[in-house]
Amino acid sequence: MECSRCGTPLEKPGDYCLVCETRNADTVVVHADPDHATLTFLDEDDVVGRTDIATTPEEDADLEGRRLRNFAGRIADEVRRKRPEEVYVAGDRSVVQAVRADLHYTVYRVPEDDPVAAVLERRGERELDVVEKAPAEKIGGTHSTLIGGRVGQRAIREVAAHPHVKKVIPGPIEAGGSGARGGVRAKVTRADANGNVRLLIRDGSSVQENRVVTTAMDRETGERVRDDLNEALADADLDR
């Protein structure tokens, strides 16, 4: 494949051209199994290339952890070669978590039955505005106390880091009855008519409802953001 702008031969299809500094793939879709990943590179609605990466799981726990990190690193290296605008993932949660940790991109979850088709379908929808703020700048409101200690704070930051979240407004902490399941758990509720959602954080019998203002314009697009947020919480092991 040659660069779409200057015609320089590219080492791999969809690579960013270092000669004229041109992006030749604006989106990367990663479908990951525990031992294999397929990366599909899109330029607008066209598939410009695919790459397969394979690995062999290890029985030893220490070796398996190293193997997973190396596998995720190889996937992340292929993504960085493209310098895409968007990255979508589907598949094995442990691989997705490791890839997220290795990339400085916002990574969106899509259904794994046909992730490329899901991404192309999204392209037909109106794009949501992106909020270019650090997560800490999006958190504010009357109630400054957050439930769940460090884990609760991590859940808040995970939601605030989403590019389609404008603001997270912590609510009051309410004590519940006895018999509630222990541990800190987080979940995003269904979107309202304006596309906004609520982040519920439970710590034992106590619960905090945090308002999440998004850039969605209606319930349908708000549900899309909700799905992304719940997937992010699950990938970060915050939904248990």
Side-chain angles (χ1 to χ4, degrees), residues 30 72-73 75-80 84 87 89 97-107:
V30 181
I75 295 171
D77 285 344
E78 287 295 332
V79 173
R80 284 189 284 264
V87 180
V89 296
Q97 287 176 327
V99 171
R100 281 183 187 272
D102 207 320
L103 282 175
H104 296 294
Y105 285 90
T106 298
V107 178

Side-chain angles (χ1 to χ4, degrees), residues 31-32 42 47 63 79 86 113 131-132 146 149 155 183 188 209 233:
H31 191 182
L42 304 176
V47 175
L63 292 177
V79 173
E86 296 180 319
D113 53 343
V131 181
E132 300 286 356
L146 300 177
V188 179
E209 183 177 285
L233 291 171

Side-chain angles (χ1 to χ4, degrees), residues 49-91:
R50 285 189 176 90
T51 294
D52 288 284
I53 301 174
T55 182
T56 303
E58 300 281 355
E59 294 185 4
D60 180 88
D62 291 338
L63 292 177
E64 174 61 12
R66 187 182 309 164
R67 192 276 312 176
L68 178 60
R69 290 190 296 273
N70 290 340
F71 183 37
R74 291 167 63 196
I75 295 171
D77 285 344
E78 287 295 332
V79 173
R80 284 189 284 264
R81 290 180 67 100
K82 316 307 174 189
R83 301 192 190 181
E85 294 177 347
E86 296 180 319
V87 180
Y88 294 87
V89 296

